[in-house]
Amino acid sequence: MVEYKGLDGTEEDIDPYFGIAKLDEQLKGIPEKKMVLISASPSVGNEVFGYQIIHKNINSGVKVLVFLNRTSPQSYLTDMKDYDFPANDNLFILDAYSGITGIKSNETDHIKVIDNPYDKEEVKSKVLEALNHGYGLIVIDSFSLLADFFDFSFAISFMDEIKKAVISNNSAAVLLFTDWGYEKENVDKLLSNVNSTIEVKGIEKRVIFGQYFAVLKCDWIEGTPALASVLFKAIKPGGIKVYFPKILVTGPTDAGKSSFIHSASKDAVSVDKLGGTIALDHGSVDFRGYRADLFGTPGQERFDPLLKMLGEEAIGVFLIVDSTKPEQFPRAVEMLRKTETYGLPVVVIANKADLKGALKSDEIREKLHLDSAITLISTVAEDLSKVDPNEPTKLKSEGINEALSALFKQLT
Ligand SMILES: Nc1nc2c(ncn2[C@@H]2O[C@H](COP(=O)(O)OP(=O)(O)OP(=O)(O)O)[C@@H](O)[C@H]2O)c(=O)[nH]1
Ligand SMILES: [Mg+2]
């Protein structure tokens, strides 16, 4: 069972969830009787939001009905699986697609087919009838296609009926919508009809180099501050992750930068020579619904010209020091200065706390002249007997998680 966890790792009991970091933290899931619109611009896909919400809920025991009119159940399920979201018995599909293509679709206990998807009345009655079967959540994929297929006013009136059914059945609904440039009046009507709107957009500069979501409205969290743009990545497998494109990891020679990056990520690469990093380290971290790219600097002074370059566009910093080497602390502060990352959130990691002579946190804070607002986390090797003087070592996950959680909290 997949449990939703906040950044600090505590499980929260809210159903249904989005299963998406940041959204669940801010909106506390999707309460009963509520309707959420996921509104995407044409340049970005919104289907993965649907997959992820479905996945999260069918795994926590919520019965989910998905209305499909832009793809076949088979390819929908295959695509979900590619994101590592396999279906289970809690997922039910209403297929309004196969009838358009003329491809025969086999009905099963979990897939019902709308024979003539061109027939408004059949579509409507099949959906409304299905809604009375105790689903906790219904996903409409896609609402814009319904509007294209029939017309916008039909889609709106249909939505009103879905809303009534959702309210009387104590379920919740998610509508996936792509704004293909419909009349403003229609879109406004749609937006005013739903309880929450999440906008999904691309950052476009000739090519799309990033995607973000933002909460435009939400009527169940009092005075919801509209959630500012949150950068995300849709990762296969894994789904929607809130994304931090660049976090810098710096600190003196041998402090444990490479060890930290390798321990925090599954796919780290280092450009090392005789155990020391000579160009950079890179690793992608997946942590509690977040994805971050870590960039590690070398520690030796001869590489200092690289520090500024590596610091560019970073949004947060891990400064790593060796707890047994206070003589290196001035160097640590100097490196931080050379990365020119002033004002960014910093978490200090006091590594090698397992070694004899390691200073206590308080002493380290004092010697580094750390502001009390800056978090300091101790980390240790997982297995002291396995520490190789020429290789990064694996650090205990406890410290790693604490450090990631502390920095990510400051970044969101
Ligand atoms: N005992 C102990 N050894 C550690 C710990 N972390 C790292 N080491 C060892 O310390 C040495 C340096 O670690 P690295 O992770 O390569 O350090 P670095 O900061 O990347 O070093 P440079 O790239 O040369 O600047 C390696 O031999 C590691 O195995 C720790 O927490 N405890
Ligand atoms: Mg290194």
Side-chain angles (χ1 to χ4, degrees):
M1 192 149 129
V2 189
E3 274 304 334
Y4 172 73
K5 289 187 169 123
L7 247 189
D8 49 14
T10 47
E11 288 174 12
E12 290 187 58
D13 184 21
I14 37 173
D15 264 339
Y17 288 111
F18 289 97
I20 297 171
K22 224 38 219 167
L23 282 182
D24 282 318
E25 280 151 42
Q26 289 248 335
L27 306 187
K28 302 289 170 210
I30 313 166
E32 280 179 2
K33 304 179 196 276
K34 298 292 185 185
M35 210 163 198
V36 176
L37 184 75
I38 312 265
S39 170
S41 60
S43 58
V44 298
N46 57 8
E47 67 280 3
V48 189
F49 281 79
Y51 299 158
Q52 185 130 346
I53 293 167
I54 291 168
H55 166 74
K56 170 63 217 166
N57 286 286
I58 59 176
N59 278 297
S60 49
V62 177
K63 252 174 83 179
V64 177
L65 177 70
V66 53
F67 170 86
L68 289 187
N69 60 352
R70 65 170 156 176
T71 184
S72 69
Q74 291 69 29
S75 68
Y76 193 82
L77 294 173
T78 307
D79 208 22
M80 273 187 74
K81 222 181 192 168
D82 287 345
Y83 282 94
D84 201 18
F85 299 154
N88 68 20
D89 278 352
N90 288 324
L91 181 59
F92 297 82
I93 293 176
L94 201 49
D95 173 10
Y97 179 82
S98 301
I100 301 170
T101 61
I103 297 165
K104 183 100 189 76
S105 175
N106 291 330
E107 294 224 354
T108 67
D109 285 348
H110 288 80
I111 302 176
K112 298 288 173 229
V113 180
I114 295 177
D115 296 320
N116 183 4
Y118 293 97
D119 179 349
K120 280 181 190 174
E121 294 313 316
E122 189 192 345
V123 172
K124 199 157 139 179
S125 63
K126 284 260 171 76
V127 172
L128 295 176
E129 200 274 322
L131 285 181
N132 291 322
H133 289 94
Y135 298 102
L137 181 72
I138 161 156
V139 175
I140 305 283
D141 187 351
S142 99
F143 184 82
S144 25
L145 213 60
L146 260 181
D148 295 341
F149 213 68
F150 301 114
D151 56 74
F152 217 102
S153 51
F154 169 77
I156 296 271
S157 71
F158 185 21
M159 184 179 107
D160 282 341
E161 297 196 46
I162 293 175
K163 195 171 177 180
K164 276 184 216 146
V166 161
I167 291 172
S168 65
N169 290 301
N170 292 333
S171 52
V174 171
L175 311 180
L176 297 175
F177 176 72
T178 302
D179 192 345
W180 296 103
Y182 301 102
E183 275 174 39
K184 185 170 180 305
E185 195 188 325
N186 282 330
V187 176
D188 287 349
K189 210 178 280 171
L190 175 61
L191 296 186
S192 68
N193 258 354
V194 293
N195 302 96
S196 176
T197 304
I198 293 151
E199 194 179 43
V200 184
K201 288 198 159 181
I203 303 167
E204 294 167 50
K205 279 205 178 138
R206 277 187 295 170
V207 291
I208 298 167
F209 64 91
Q211 298 181 322
Y212 67 88
F213 61 78
V215 177
L216 290 190
K217 92 171 201 189
C218 174
D219 71 3
W220 62 84
I221 300 281
E222 226 171 283
T224 320
L227 179 62
S229 311
V230 176
L231 209 59
F232 74 90
K233 247 188 172 178
I235 293 164
K236 245 184 208 183
I240 308 272
K241 308 281 180 193
V242 174
Y243 181 47
F244 303 132
K246 190 171 189 183
I247 292 176
L248 193 69
V249 180
T250 192
T253 310
D254 259 4
K257 301 175 292 297
S258 300
S259 300
F260 178 76
I261 293 174
H262 283 261
S263 308
S265 45
K266 277 176 252 140
D267 61 349
V269 281
S270 303
V271 184
D272 276 5
K273 197 175 169 190
L274 303 173
T277 303
I278 56 163
L280 83 157
D281 297 303
H282 172 263
S284 299
V285 175
D286 273 315
F287 180 69
R288 297 177 184 160
Y290 291 74
R291 156 68 68 109
D293 280 325
L294 303 183
F295 291 82
T297 73
Q300 299 168 46
E301 275 175 53
R302 62 192 174 106
F303 297 113
D304 278 9
L306 284 176
L307 293 177
K308 180 173 180 288
M309 197 188 82
L310 287 167
E312 273 165 16
E313 281 157 13
I315 58 164
V317 182
F318 287 112
L319 177 64
I320 308 209
V321 295
D322 180 333
S323 307
T324 66
K325 292 196 177 142
E327 68 279 11
Q328 283 188 341
F329 292 180
R331 167 71 184 149
V333 174
E334 182 199 23
M335 287 183 78
L336 189 59
R337 186 178 55 73
K338 287 189 169 170
T339 61
E340 296 189 11
T341 51
Y342 324 104
L344 296 183
V346 180
V347 166
V348 177
I349 294 175
N351 191 35
K352 307 199 188 183
D354 50 5
L355 291 183
K356 237 194 187 150
L359 299 180
K360 299 263 175 304
S361 297
D362 288 350
E363 295 170 279
I364 296 173
R365 294 197 82 95
E366 202 187 305
K367 288 196 186 323
L368 272 171
H369 308 291
L370 278 193
D371 188 292
S372 62
I374 293 179
T375 311
L376 181 126
I377 310 278
S378 296
T379 49
V380 293
E382 197 173 77
D383 185 347
L384 243 170
S385 68
K386 283 193 190 147
V387 173
D388 174 339
N390 293 315
E391 291 289 339
T393 196
K394 178 127 179 63
L395 304 180
K396 270 195 188 157
S397 59
E398 227 178 331
I400 299 277
N401 291 350
E402 250 185 279
L404 294 173
S405 165
L407 189 64
F408 289 7
K409 270 188 193 164
Q410 293 179 55
L411 293 176
T412 60

